Amino acid sequence: MQKNGQYLSPVVPNEKGEFSMAPDSLAATLSPKGKVTLPREILRTLRWSAGTRLLVESTPDGVLLKPEPVPAETRPEDVFGSLTYDGPPKTVREMNAGVLAEAKLRS
């Protein structure tokens, strides 16, 4: 935010990452259901698309929106052996039966 007279005006980055005053057309309106539609220019600049999960923080200057961090992709070799089993190896048929039994319990 940058001071413009006695009011604060939003400052937005352009495609080059340079900041400038946002025109009034970049305002958003709160709907009766509490939803806000962000201006297309902001979404394009930040590269946010439909379905982007946002963290919402209350700050002294207003509300801060930032994308929720995406967890790193997990590779099988990163987690291999993390669950220990003490017993004879299970057959594929036994594992499939175990998965099916658990699915029936959860449905």
Side-chain angles (χ1 to χ4, degrees):
M1 296 284 205
Q2 190 170 26
K3 238 179 185 174
N4 182 8
Q6 59 181 346
Y7 299 102
L8 292 176
S9 299
V11 177
V12 295
N14 62 19
E15 298 81 29
K16 297 178 185 177
E18 302 166 333
F19 289 88
S20 61
M21 297 296 287
D24 291 337
S25 63
L26 293 181
T29 304
L30 186 65
S31 77
K33 292 185 176 183
K35 296 181 180 184
V36 175
T37 301
L38 299 175
R40 185 170 298 171
E41 177 67 26
I42 298 289
L43 298 174
R44 191 176 310 137
T45 301
L46 296 173
R47 296 185 179 144
W48 290 351
S49 57
T52 300
R53 292 188 51 90
L54 302 172
L55 298 176
V56 182
E57 292 180 22
S58 180
T59 71
D61 291 328
V63 176
L64 173 65
L65 297 176
K66 53 187 180 181
E68 185 175 66
V70 178
E73 188 174 315
T74 304
R75 302 173 306 162
E77 55 269 22
D78 294 336
V79 295
F80 182 77
S82 60
L83 299 176
T84 59
Y85 170 71
D86 187 24
K90 299 285 185 185
T91 65
V92 172
R93 181 170 286 163
E94 290 171 322
M95 289 188 283
N96 286 340
V99 169
L100 182 59
E102 184 64 24
K104 286 180 180 179
L105 286 174
R106 294 182 184 208
S107 61

